[in-house]
């Protein structure tokens, strides 16, 4: 099962991607997080940034490898993301080498920062279609 959170990519180049996650009340995990006050869990905000970074890594390396998170640093959360709102994620390339890529990401809702941080992705070594 593919767990894709990105609804669309607005812009992509060799060193930057802008992606959109529209949060709807129909998303199952919102029923438990939190009952009566649903918000997008912070770990899923981070996952949106990682998925955007994975798309950038595939473009940069012109390869069909799956990319996995090596580490995450300096993650800070700001505002909440509620149903009906749109999380706009911008991920930029900081550096890359043969072992992986370093990225910086920021997620905003209506111009306010909801998440920001740095992370490193490394190739898993299997085609993306076969990745778990």
């Amino acid at each position: 099962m593919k767990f894709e959170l990105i609804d669309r990519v607005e812009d992509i180049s060799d060193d930057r991607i802008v992606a959109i996650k529209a949060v709807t009340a129909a998303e199952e995990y919102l029923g438990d997080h939190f009952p009566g006050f649903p918000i997008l869990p912070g770990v899923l905000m981070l996952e949106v940034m990682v998925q955007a970074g994975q798309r950038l890594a595939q473009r940069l390396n012109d390869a069909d490898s799956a990319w996995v998170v090596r580490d995450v640093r300096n993650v800070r959360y700001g505002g909440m993301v509620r149903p009906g709102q749109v999380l706009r994620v911008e991920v930029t390339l900081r550096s890359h080498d043969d072992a992986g890529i370093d990225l910086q990401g920021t997620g905003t809702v209506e111009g306010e920062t909801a998440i920001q941080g740095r992370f490193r992705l490394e190739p898993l070594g299997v085609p993306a279609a076969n990745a778990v």
Side-chain angles (χ1 to χ4, degrees):
M1 178 172 143
K2 182 95 170 143
F3 188 65
E4 184 66 42
L5 289 172
I6 294 175
D7 293 313
R8 80 175 178 274
V9 173
E10 284 192 337
D11 187 35
I12 189 168
S13 66
D14 288 342
D15 62 353
R16 178 179 168 270
I17 184 171
V18 177
I20 299 297
K21 166 62 180 150
V23 179
T24 69
E27 297 175 60
E28 274 185 52
Y29 49 81
L30 293 177
D32 295 327
H33 197 269
F34 296 97
F37 189 76
I39 60 171
L40 183 65
V43 70
L44 293 183
M45 285 192 249
L46 178 59
E47 178 65 18
V48 174
M49 283 197 325
V50 167
Q51 288 182 9
Q54 289 168 331
R55 289 184 184 200
L56 187 60
Q58 287 173 336
R59 175 187 172 98
L60 180 67
N61 290 283
D62 195 30
D64 192 29
S65 289
W67 290 81
V68 295
V69 176
R70 166 70 177 169
D71 60 46
V72 178
R73 297 182 183 175
N74 302 329
V75 174
R76 288 179 278 171
Y77 294 94
M80 294 176 276
V81 185
R82 299 194 36 118
Q85 293 183 315
V86 173
L87 179 64
R88 181 183 183 272
V89 170
E90 182 173 345
V91 176
T92 55
L93 177 68
R94 291 174 45 89
S95 65
H96 66 92
D97 55 36
D98 291 340
I101 64 173
D102 292 306
L103 302 158
Q104 170 76 38
T106 303
T108 59
V109 175
E110 299 171 6
E112 299 293 322
T113 301
I115 184 173
Q116 60 184 4
R118 296 183 348 210
F119 56 102
R120 180 170 178 81
L121 299 177
E122 294 183 348
L124 185 58
V126 298
N130 295 334
V132 177

